[in-house]
Amino acid sequence: MKMKYYSEAHEWIMIKDNEATIGISEYAAEELGDITYVELPIEEDDVTVGDTIGVIESVKAASDVYSPIGGTVTEVNAELEDNPGLINESAEKEGWICKLANIDVAEIGDMMTPDAYVKYLKSLD
Amino acid sequence: MSDLEIKNTPLAECHKLAGAKMVDFSGWNMPVQYSDGILAEHKHTREKVGLFDICHMGEFRISGKAALEALDTIFARPVFNQRVGLCRYNFLLNKAGKVMDDLIVYRLAEEDFFIVVNAGTRAADSEMIQSQLPEDVVFEDVSDLTAKLDLQGPLAADILAKAGLKIADLPNYFNWTEAVINDIPVLLSRTGYTGELGFELYFDADKAADMWNYLLSFDGIKPIGLGARDTLRLECGYALYGHELTEDYTPLDAGYAPMLKLDDFPEREFTGKAALKALPVENKLIAITLEGRRAARAGADVLDASGTKIGIVTSGAFAPSLGAAIAMAYIESGKSLDIGDEVQLSAGRSTITGKISDLPFYKEGTVRKKL
């Protein structure tokens, strides 16, 4: 079963078995505008909750990406190196950033379900 | 009105309808981009033609028998030899020779001048200029009465032709003329900030929305936000006040010695000249092309090969027309760096390698195209 959660910093995480896929939300991509560069995490690195795992730059600004969960980086989306705009086109599917193994599902803690995230976005307006 | 209150241009409603993202720029509520996004708007301006709301900028009208002589002592570049019909890029300096603003002087008539200044410096400029004008010269701040639209891109002249103007009547580079567009009298100059063929239109602020909608009704033209305006100007190496030009730097620091021609008119006196002549030039403005897409932003350190800090980035962004990031930076004037030499720029926790570049970064611009 797949489970999707969102952080207040607008990262999403999709959990399947013991593996997590991480990206930024469509809302975050829209807010950033055209993305021009993505610094990806390094494969095989161990990360803990809140670690900076990458940088996303748009024409106007740079933002850090924080890992919402701890684990080991097993794969990064290398396509973003040449085509960072993929995040604008498909932030929550083809624009994923990395995959983590060795995760502890308990760390999801107070991350939001998709419904709760939609409500959270409304509260930001 | 409070100084802290954010101001709207007459086009605020038009921007909203066009799906603009608005930001605070120098106290003005301005469109940073429309729904197409900065990269698409940048490309559109390079390839076709864009329309920019620049109503936030300030305009002064200065007139009288003694106006010419007075302005020649206020601005750093000569005004005395500027013919009626010409526009000239110029600088307002303080007594220390530091840049209070960069601006354009239009000579409207023998005794009549139009000065276009930056939005954020308008109040200080007004005070500085008026403090140096003799009593019989008339100073008017006409900013709130004046709309300014920039029409920029290789097809800019085609749009004016569709609007009923004759190509042969359009002004040459850095000249202005009077025109009527959509029944609205316009001061039309062949100037701009994109490196492309383009014009700046000044007219009655009450007609701003009328003109905006009229020009956008032609094929091939789109509204362009300040985000693309910034990447377009940076690719040409044009200075932006508050970044490359501030009261920390002189025009000589910024590389404008050939424009100032201090030695050509030794008798000519202007505010700040004594300081420029007396003080050593401490800084040098350089252009840097970065290795990849990752940008170094304003405020980032510039390091030499040994990791020693030698300067600071003033502007930096991904350059859409080049596919790589670029930057402008001040370094200590004693550092001798040649085109192609490597420097390191700080970006967050890491550093990015760059090479000293010549200017403009983008060399295909149509700005001087003959019509």
Side-chain angles (χ1 to χ4, degrees):
Chain A
M1 196 175 94
K2 287 182 185 174
M3 293 180 299
K4 195 171 189 183
Y5 299 93
Y6 293 83
S7 72
E8 288 190 359
H10 306 289
E11 283 107 12
W12 57 264
I13 179 169
M14 178 86 89
I15 294 185
K16 191 183 175 222
D17 303 327
N18 194 31
E19 188 183 67
T21 306
I22 295 171
I24 66 164
S25 72
E26 282 174 10
Y27 172 86
E30 171 69 26
E31 283 297 297
L32 284 167
D34 291 329
I35 292 166
T36 54
Y37 170 82
V38 181
E39 181 186 282
L40 294 166
I42 295 164
E43 283 181 13
E44 296 179 24
D45 267 10
D46 290 324
V47 299
T48 55
V49 178
D51 279 0
T52 301
I53 51 167
V55 178
I56 295 187
E57 292 198 352
S58 65
V59 181
K60 299 307 292 175
S63 332
D64 285 340
V65 181
Y66 304 102
S67 189
I69 194 166
T72 306
V73 179
T74 55
E75 195 179 345
V76 298
N77 188 356
E79 199 180 337
L80 295 177
E81 287 175 357
D82 295 327
N83 183 16
L86 195 55
I87 293 182
N88 294 113
E89 290 161 29
S90 175
E92 303 198 20
K93 289 205 168 75
E94 279 89 56
W96 61 276
I97 293 170
C98 67
K99 292 183 181 177
L100 301 183
N102 305 325
I103 58 169
D104 177 0
V105 177
E107 286 184 347
I108 288 167
D110 53 4
M111 285 185 77
M112 291 171 271
T113 63
D115 282 351
Y117 182 64
V118 169
K119 278 186 195 142
Y120 171 67
L121 291 183
K122 282 185 180 149
S123 76
L124 298 179
D125 287 342
Chain B
M1 190 170 83
S2 154
D3 281 349
L4 297 173
E5 198 173 316
I6 187 156
K7 294 187 280 275
N8 279 313
T9 76
L11 298 172
E13 254 333 281
C14 298
H15 299 320
K16 202 170 155 188
L17 288 172
K21 252 188 213 172
M22 306 299 284
V23 294
D24 179 354
F25 179 82
S26 296
W28 290 80
N29 186 35
M30 299 298 293
V32 66
Q33 64 163 84
Y34 299 86
S35 45
D36 285 353
I38 294 173
L39 297 180
E41 290 171 25
H42 178 110
K43 189 165 185 279
H44 190 84
T45 308
R46 287 268 180 260
E47 292 174 358
K48 295 194 166 120
V49 56
L51 189 65
F52 300 71
D53 174 10
I54 309 297
C55 292
H56 60 303
M57 283 181 74
E59 295 89 8
F60 305 147
R61 189 89 182 248
I62 298 174
S63 54
K65 275 203 185 329
L68 175 67
E69 201 180 331
L71 293 178
D72 198 51
T73 66
I74 294 172
F75 297 131
R77 295 185 70 198
V79 182
F80 76 88
N81 59 2
Q82 181 177 342
R83 280 190 290 107
V84 173
L86 289 185
C87 314
R88 185 172 284 174
Y89 182 59
N90 216 322
F91 303 96
L92 178 66
L93 307 183
N94 61 24
K95 288 204 172 74
K98 303 295 171 72
V99 182
M100 290 183 69
D101 204 4
D102 64 331
L103 46 88
I104 297 185
V105 176
Y106 290 67
R107 190 163 190 185
L108 299 183
E110 290 299 325
E111 300 173 2
D112 197 356
F113 297 85
F114 186 70
I115 318 290
V116 182
V117 304
N118 282 298
T121 48
R122 173 180 155 194
D125 289 3
S126 166
E127 197 175 313
M128 181 67 176
I129 293 171
Q130 288 190 74
S131 73
Q132 300 178 72
L133 288 176
E135 268 183 18
D136 53 347
V137 171
V138 178
F139 178 97
E140 295 165 277
D141 184 335
V142 294
S143 309
D144 296 338
L145 308 173
T146 307
K148 178 176 190 280
L149 297 183
D150 288 12
L151 179 70
Q152 302 277 306
L155 302 182
D158 302 63
I159 295 291
L160 293 179
K162 286 179 193 168
L165 303 192
K166 291 199 185 79
I167 297 281
D169 292 344
L170 296 177
N172 291 326
Y173 189 57
F174 265 75
N175 281 243
W176 64 268
T177 189
E178 283 172 337
V180 175
I181 301 171
N182 192 31
D183 294 327
I184 302 166
V186 176
L187 173 64
L188 179 73
S189 60
R190 171 100 188 253
T191 47
Y193 200 45
T194 61
E196 299 301 331
L197 169 67
F199 301 87
E200 296 182 298
L201 286 67
Y202 303 87
F203 54 96
D204 182 352
D206 288 342
K207 307 284 187 195
D210 192 2
M211 182 71 91
W212 176 262
N213 292 325
Y214 173 73
L215 290 173
L216 287 177
S217 71
F218 294 107
D219 285 342
I221 183 169
K222 285 185 172 184
I224 310 294
L226 292 189
R229 183 170 165 89
D230 192 43
T231 52
L232 289 159
R233 72 94 194 167
L234 186 57
E235 285 185 349
C236 301
Y238 295 157
L240 172 61
Y241 195 82
H243 289 254
E244 287 71 38
L245 298 172
T246 73
E247 289 193 39
D248 292 328
Y249 299 105
T250 71
L252 302 180
D253 289 326
Y256 290 109
M259 227 182 223
L260 288 191
K261 296 183 179 150
L262 285 182
D263 299 327
D264 285 14
F265 308 106
E267 296 88 38
R268 187 177 160 257
E269 291 301 330
F270 60 87
T271 304
K273 181 182 177 183
L276 291 184
K277 295 287 279 187
L279 298 173
V281 178
E282 289 175 345
N283 305 286
K284 185 159 81 175
L285 188 62
I286 56 165
I288 303 163
T289 304
L290 281 65
E291 236 170 22
R293 301 176 65 99
R294 181 159 198 196
R297 306 284 168 174
D301 289 342
V302 182
L303 312 171
D304 66 12
S306 69
T308 307
K309 180 178 171 178
I310 55 166
I312 190 160
V313 171
T314 52
S315 293
F318 175 73
S321 303
L322 305 172
I326 55 174
M328 304 276 285
Y330 274 113
I331 58 167
E332 298 158 22
S333 60
K335 304 286 170 192
S336 64
L337 286 171
D338 295 321
I339 306 289
D341 284 355
E342 272 192 10
V343 289
Q344 302 291 320
L345 304 176
S346 63
R349 292 165 302 280
S350 49
T351 58
I352 312 170
T353 301
K355 283 195 170 130
I356 308 293
S357 167
D358 58 351
L359 286 177
F361 293 104
Y362 176 72
K363 295 177 169 56
E364 318 299 317
T366 53
V367 63
R368 286 170 183 274
K369 190 178 145 191
K370 289 247 185 306
L371 293 176

